[in-house]
Amino acid sequence: KEIENGQVFTPPAICRLVAESLRPSVSDVVADLTCGKGTFFNFMPVETNCYGCELDARAYKVAHFLYPGARLELTDIRTYKPDLRFDYVVGNPPFNLKWYAENREYLSQFYYCVKAAQVL
């Protein structure tokens, strides 16, 4: 199932490196558009400023349990429509899947970039 969904969960050391490189402030709002178990949220300064969506119900349940203050949705990135703009988008998109969105075909990693640009 993980291969079918293009899932590769990001190691905590990589999440830490990304967070330390970005240095988000306590007022910055951060999104992970394919949040998995929410590992990136562990390294953000304020849990309640973390937003995410996840398609896999089991991963979503783990993230929701670990980060109860984060604003998570059990949905596909292609249908995720947050009502705000984010200061940062972090994440590890699914790779090399053919996705149909907005009346065209995308590789999943490219669509992740398109969606990130829309919500920043």
Side-chain angles (χ1 to χ4, degrees):
K1 183 176 178 184
E2 289 176 358
I3 291 170
E4 288 175 9
N5 289 334
Q7 291 177 309
V8 176
F9 294 106
T10 311
I14 300 296
C15 296
R16 182 182 320 110
L17 176 66
V18 169
E20 288 173 354
S21 298
L22 294 174
R23 292 188 241 166
S25 73
V26 295
S27 63
D28 285 330
V29 181
V30 179
D32 184 345
L33 303 175
T34 53
C35 70
K37 297 179 280 183
T39 308
F40 278 100
F41 301 150
N42 195 47
F43 303 99
M44 297 300 146
V46 180
E47 185 177 303
T48 55
N49 286 353
C50 294
Y51 288 73
C53 66
E54 176 54 43
L55 179 63
D56 183 276
R58 286 184 288 176
Y60 167 82
K61 287 177 186 178
V62 171
H64 195 267
F65 175 79
L66 293 173
Y67 309 101
R71 297 164 186 172
L72 306 175
E73 291 186 31
L74 178 60
T75 191
D76 191 302
I77 182 177
R78 293 169 286 184
T79 58
Y80 183 55
K81 304 228 186 282
D83 58 357
L84 72 155
R85 297 279 189 210
F86 301 107
D87 298 300
Y88 294 99
V89 174
V90 297
N92 183 4
F95 279 85
N96 296 324
L97 302 176
K98 289 183 181 179
W99 281 357
Y100 295 91
E102 301 167 15
N103 297 318
R104 62 180 283 208
E105 182 179 282
Y106 293 91
L107 280 177
S108 51
Q109 65 269 25
F110 181 69
Y111 183 77
Y112 191 97
C113 295
V114 168
K115 186 70 165 202
Q118 291 173 353
V119 300
L120 283 170

